[in-house]
Amino acid sequence: MKKIEMEIKNRINQLDVVAFDIFDTILTRTVNPESIKKIWAKEINRQYRLTKHNSEFYQLRFELEAKMCKENQQAGFDLEFNLEKLFSRIAVHFNIEDQNEFIETCIAQEIAIESRCQVIDEDWLAAIKKIKKDYPNVKIVCISDMYLSKKMLTQILSNHGVFNLLDDIFVSSETLLTKRSGKLYEHLITELEWIPERILMVGDNKVSDFENPQSLGIIAYHIDRTEQHQQYDKWNKTITDDYLKKEIHKILKSHHDESFENIAASLYLYIEKLYNQLKYNGVEDVFFLSREGEFLKVLFDYYQASIGVKQINSHYLIVSRKSTFLPSLKALDIENFHNLFRQYIHMSVAEFLNSLNFVTSDIEELKNALEINFDKRINDFPNSKEFKLLKENTLFQTIYETNRIQQKDNFITYVKSYGVDLNKGLHIVDVGWKGTIQDNIYNILDNEIRVVGYYTGLVASGNAMEHNEKMGLLFSLYPEKTSNYIIYSENRALFEMVLGASHGSANRYINKQGKIEVELFNKEEEKVLFDTVVQPMQVEICKRFKNLNNLLLNIAYDDEVVEKVLNSIHAQLVFFPTEKQLKFFEKMYHYENFGVFEFSTFETNTTKGFADKLKQYRLFIKQPVSYLGNSFWPLYKLYQNDLAILSKIYQSARYLQLKFRKLT
């Protein structure tokens, strides 16, 4: 491009118009040009689910393009088509209900992909700025053989910050006449009354940008982009399924001195599925629930920003089972506390009252009014005499009803403070496993607002129903078991640990002059764990997540190819962990602030005596499913109990199971 600056300088006094080709002249692509269409097909097909495989959708586009070109040629035009009309044809082909919305989405996606897969020629930029400054009477235009509309090209060049340097754009898709045939030049000369000898055409195509304009008397300059075209061919041959697998494993290479940083694989898969599901559902606002949602929101915001189209508004809602439980309840005479007792049946009176968010002064007042032990943990608390006496107490009834109504009003005010139209539904994101907080929120909103939950995984439906919908995007047992359930359900605690938050758990909602403040319950031990263990790991996970995104965003592939690779990486973490990964859990702990109020730890003892080991072997042989099923991570339980032989047998069985099901 340096030479063209001299060419223009030598001829500038003879010129009225300097015209440039666009692609491979002022813009070069970072992918093979046809890959733009394939990437577009991948992203649109994910959002609309039109064909089983992304490659099938691309093939349909390819065939429709050829058909439209032929039809236009038969009508007396050149072999060309208009992309917006192509998108309209696709909408008709698939009986898309809102065709205008579909076309707009397709256009926005095409523009975004083109923009992020292009780089501007800096030499051209410098040359044009100089011409604009020194020779303001010379018009600078672009003339392109391209299926994109003028409006789309304008947006792309605006995205690169160079459209303001141009006086106009002329594109073959608008007239269905091309530079390739020479008819577009003839049309412009006649229509705009240009003098051919006072036009300079610059481009990379020997025929379209050099020989054809010269034959009409236009001055032409050919830019040699042979190396760039050779690079396109190389990329086209290089990027295969095997290449993708190899590059993913480079990013997520297993290191023996790490813990669980490679969970970036499954988190990437989840965020990708989340984004496409939200797009499919037409969601405009989504709420990430604390605390696991804090890091998920960071990943989601990065992912959707990288795509480059209109973003879904993401919000962070500070909630917990405890903070949403009381306001979700009914009047005492009809409330059975099912959502508490389905998980916690053995508890003390104090633990029950704490679960209801009673403040210390209220609990002390009740202690004085009732002659029962508040601290003793009671088996089958729902059927105990202590629970019966509590419910019959008028002071308890008054405190319960006052707090319930107050917290319900405060929570609704809190949600509405985000300015989201709840008539469009409340869409929430959380780690999983039953969606209890979602059930609470649905009840707080009196079952009048549609609530939809998007989880990493579901192991039960909770109170899911028609307007209280739940989906496990990574794995699920509901409404049916997903094929990869055995991989991702193996150690669900891993997700909870890795997705730790920088703040404490939501306790209650306080109304201060009409503004809601969320009172947090902070445990110093949890803060220390986050600062020293979890956050450093999240930083590394984020790096790998971004590297994965940089690799996969601008490559076309069928989703099942990559999903299988990412499945295998997670399977490695939970079925074939390193010694360090197993020891990682020894330093982890979690404070339960609902139902029971205590720390859960993952301490182990790998120095058991022969008698203890024998006992554990017998328990396993007697009921292997129950023995492992009651643990949060089966392999870790075997490690805890120093059962090395059983560990190897278990791993071998899982390996065969995964291979038989072709999950990895």
Side-chain angles (χ1 to χ4, degrees), residues 576-588:
F576 310 100
T578 64
E579 183 76 13
K580 180 167 182 178
Q581 287 167 342
L582 289 166
K583 285 185 176 295
F584 170 84
F585 273 86
E586 295 179 9
K587 57 185 175 184
M588 300 300 287

Side-chain angles (χ1 to χ4, degrees), residues 637-651:
K637 184 169 184 177
L638 297 174
Y639 169 76
Q640 278 182 310
N641 292 309
D642 201 15
L643 305 178
I645 296 175
L646 288 181
S647 296
K648 296 299 181 185
I649 293 173
Y650 180 78
Q651 288 178 313

Side-chain angles (χ1 to χ4, degrees), residues 165-213:
L165 298 174
L166 303 173
D167 292 294
D168 213 337
I169 297 174
F170 305 100
V171 59
S172 60
S173 66
E174 301 285 331
T175 60
L176 299 181
L177 302 174
T178 66
K179 294 186 296 178
R180 187 173 56 252
S181 68
K183 292 179 182 178
L184 180 56
Y185 293 118
E186 294 173 355
H187 169 77
L188 293 175
I189 289 169
T190 302
E191 188 77 14
L192 301 175
E193 298 182 349
W194 282 352
I195 300 171
E197 294 79 11
R198 296 187 66 82
I199 304 169
L200 172 64
M201 179 67 207
V202 181
D204 70 296
N205 189 290
K206 193 71 178 288
V207 174
S208 300
D209 298 319
F210 186 72
E211 293 176 0
N212 284 350

Side-chain angles (χ1 to χ4, degrees), residues 1-2 4-5 120-129:
M1 212 42 109
K2 287 288 186 183
I4 190 59
E5 187 176 343
I120 197 85
D121 187 299
E122 294 296 330
D123 291 335
W124 173 86
L125 192 58
I128 294 307
K129 286 181 177 179

Side-chain angles (χ1 to χ4, degrees), residues 259-261 263 291-292 294-295 493-502 525-542 584 587-589:
S259 48
F260 290 95
E261 289 81 355
I263 200 173
R291 289 185 291 172
E292 285 84 354
E294 184 180 45
F295 188 52
L494 176 59
F495 286 99
E496 296 177 31
M497 297 303 172
V498 166
L499 298 175
S502 62
E525 296 91 337
E526 287 190 307
K527 184 71 167 65
V528 169
L529 181 67
F530 178 79
D531 290 342
T532 60
V533 178
V534 176
Q535 188 177 42
M537 191 189 308
Q538 287 183 353
V539 170
E540 183 57 36
I541 290 169
C542 209
F584 170 84
K587 57 185 175 184
M588 300 300 287
Y589 46 83

Side-chain angles (χ1 to χ4, degrees), residues 574-608:
V574 295
F575 293 131
F576 310 100
T578 64
E579 183 76 13
K580 180 167 182 178
Q581 287 167 342
L582 289 166
K583 285 185 176 295
F584 170 84
F585 273 86
E586 295 179 9
K587 57 185 175 184
M588 300 300 287
Y589 46 83
H590 169 71
Y591 185 76
E592 192 74 36
N593 73 329
F594 182 73
V596 295
F597 295 79
E598 59 190 16
F599 276 102
S600 298
T601 62
F602 306 102
E603 294 177 324
T604 186
N605 178 10
T606 56
T607 57
K608 288 182 177 294

Side-chain angles (χ1 to χ4, degrees), residues 96-208:
I96 302 292
E97 188 173 340
D98 190 339
Q99 293 191 10
N100 289 333
E101 187 272 340
F102 176 78
I103 293 169
E104 287 176 10
T105 300
C106 290
I107 290 172
Q109 202 73 68
E110 187 93 17
I111 291 172
I113 296 166
E114 282 281 11
S115 297
R116 70 186 191 227
C117 292
Q118 295 167 351
V119 290
I120 197 85
D121 187 299
E122 294 296 330
D123 291 335
W124 173 86
L125 192 58
I128 294 307
K129 286 181 177 179
K130 186 169 179 58
I131 295 171
K132 293 289 286 187
K133 180 183 177 182
D134 297 343
Y135 307 98
N137 294 327
V138 175
K139 289 187 179 296
I140 300 172
V141 303
C142 284
I143 306 175
S144 178
D145 274 355
M146 191 61 183
Y147 46 80
L148 300 174
S149 67
K150 178 177 179 178
K151 184 178 178 181
M152 294 172 74
L153 284 171
T154 299
Q155 183 60 57
I156 290 168
L157 291 168
S158 296
N159 290 345
H160 289 291
V162 298
F163 177 70
N164 62 320
L165 298 174
L166 303 173
D167 292 294
D168 213 337
I169 297 174
F170 305 100
V171 59
S172 60
S173 66
E174 301 285 331
T175 60
L176 299 181
L177 302 174
T178 66
K179 294 186 296 178
R180 187 173 56 252
S181 68
K183 292 179 182 178
L184 180 56
Y185 293 118
E186 294 173 355
H187 169 77
L188 293 175
I189 289 169
T190 302
E191 188 77 14
L192 301 175
E193 298 182 349
W194 282 352
I195 300 171
E197 294 79 11
R198 296 187 66 82
I199 304 169
L200 172 64
M201 179 67 207
V202 181
D204 70 296
N205 189 290
K206 193 71 178 288
V207 174
S208 300

